[in-house]
Amino acid sequence: MRLAKYLAQCGISSRREACRLIEAGRISLNGKIAKHTDTVHFDAGGQCLDSLCLDEKPISGAEALTYWIFNKAVGTDCRLLDADKSSLLHLLPTAPRLYPVGRLDKDSRGLLLLTNDGELTHKLMHPSFAHSKTYHVQLDRPFNDAFIEQMASGVQYKEVRTLPCQVMRLSADRFEIVLTQGLNRQIRRMSNALGYKVIDLQRVALMTLTLESLAEGAMRPLSPEEVTALKAAVAI
């Protein structure tokens, strides 16, 4: 198995972040600095035969895969920074180890998937898979139908033009948007380019997952049925 994939299965990080750790020289394999092309080997029982370390600390074997949903509140920072009191890190359980799939910016709220499944994280985050995320957005003032049409057809800001997407009016100043892109602060920048300011942004769905009655700031493990539906939608 490729080293980065195995590191993700060990709950160290996503596969993309594992590649960064390898590139930074922080992973050693059998006493030597690991390379991207390295592989790990297993015995007949599925146990890893290689010795792996992160920053010279041994890496234990692959964890049982775990999946949680979290209703993030405004003010929580998705970056896992121990020194930041607002970091999501301080809200996560000590076990199992969980990592957010993607981010919501600090001023946004709503659904986050938390997991140690690096393969699922890779497929949900990589832009080539184009998985859907649904948001409810409130603007600083009412908008007309032309705004909806422009948002849906794609918006130009700086050197970026967003892909066509689904947009539906919810009220005079609120709309629902379904994105398959994951650009930084995309909805806020799209709205700003059309002359509006976002005052509330909530992610309400990620693929087959929805918040339903989960209270803001609360988290819970996914049911087996929810995990099965999500993996079927992602084609794992």
Side-chain angles (χ1 to χ4, degrees):
M1 182 184 296
R2 291 293 292 269
L3 176 57
K5 182 176 180 178
Y6 181 68
L7 291 172
Q9 290 186 3
C10 289
I12 297 300
S13 64
S14 69
R15 195 193 301 186
R16 184 180 298 180
E17 180 61 26
C19 289
R20 295 192 184 104
L21 293 173
I22 296 169
E23 185 176 342
R26 297 176 60 189
I27 303 295
S28 63
L29 174 65
N30 299 324
K32 298 180 180 180
I33 298 298
K35 304 186 295 294
H36 286 289
T37 54
D38 285 337
T39 58
V40 293
H41 306 85
F42 305 89
D43 63 21
Q47 294 297 311
C48 182
L49 297 172
D50 298 292
S51 173
L52 287 164
C53 292
L54 167 61
D55 296 333
E56 300 184 355
K57 296 179 181 179
I59 297 172
S60 58
E63 296 181 324
L65 298 180
T66 308
Y67 310 86
W68 289 56
I69 188 173
F70 174 53
N71 188 353
K72 175 183 127 42
V74 170
T76 299
D77 194 322
C78 288
R79 295 174 298 174
L80 303 182
L81 303 174
D82 185 61
D84 184 354
K85 293 182 179 179
S86 69
S87 172
L88 171 63
L89 179 66
H90 302 298
L91 301 177
L92 297 177
T94 53
R97 289 183 292 179
L98 297 171
Y99 303 88
V101 178
R103 293 178 180 174
L104 283 173
D105 64 60
K106 198 171 183 177
D107 297 328
S108 300
R109 60 194 179 101
L111 190 156
L112 270 178
L113 175 63
L114 308 171
T115 185
N116 57 0
D117 186 338
E119 183 70 14
L120 177 65
T121 298
H122 172 71
K123 288 201 171 185
L124 284 172
M125 291 183 64
H126 199 282
S128 64
F129 293 102
H131 296 307
S132 65
K133 298 173 286 291
T134 305
Y135 302 84
H136 287 176
V137 186
Q138 183 177 6
L139 300 180
D140 59 337
R141 57 191 172 88
F143 52 85
N144 56 24
D145 291 341
F147 171 85
I148 293 289
E149 294 172 3
Q150 288 174 296
M151 290 288 282
S153 62
V155 175
Q156 181 78 37
Y157 59 86
K158 294 186 177 180
E159 298 179 356
V160 173
R161 182 164 188 87
T162 62
L163 296 177
C165 59
Q166 300 175 39
V167 185
M168 178 179 69
R169 180 187 291 275
L170 298 176
S171 68
D173 62 353
R174 297 177 69 248
F175 64 93
E176 177 180 281
I177 183 168
V178 182
L179 298 180
T180 55
Q181 282 181 294
L183 303 177
N184 185 36
R185 300 178 71 85
Q186 181 175 346
I187 298 171
R188 295 181 186 277
R189 288 174 174 171
M190 291 171 72
S191 300
N192 187 63
L194 299 180
Y196 295 82
K197 181 180 179 180
V198 171
I199 61 173
D200 184 51
L201 193 157
Q202 180 186 32
R203 183 190 288 163
V204 297
L206 171 64
M207 298 290 289
T208 59
L209 299 178
T210 60
L211 286 173
E212 297 182 349
S213 60
L214 186 65
E216 189 167 275
M219 62 181 72
R220 64 167 177 83
L222 297 188
S223 68
E225 293 77 16
E226 286 175 315
V227 174
T228 297
L230 180 61
K231 288 189 174 184
V234 179
I236 289 183

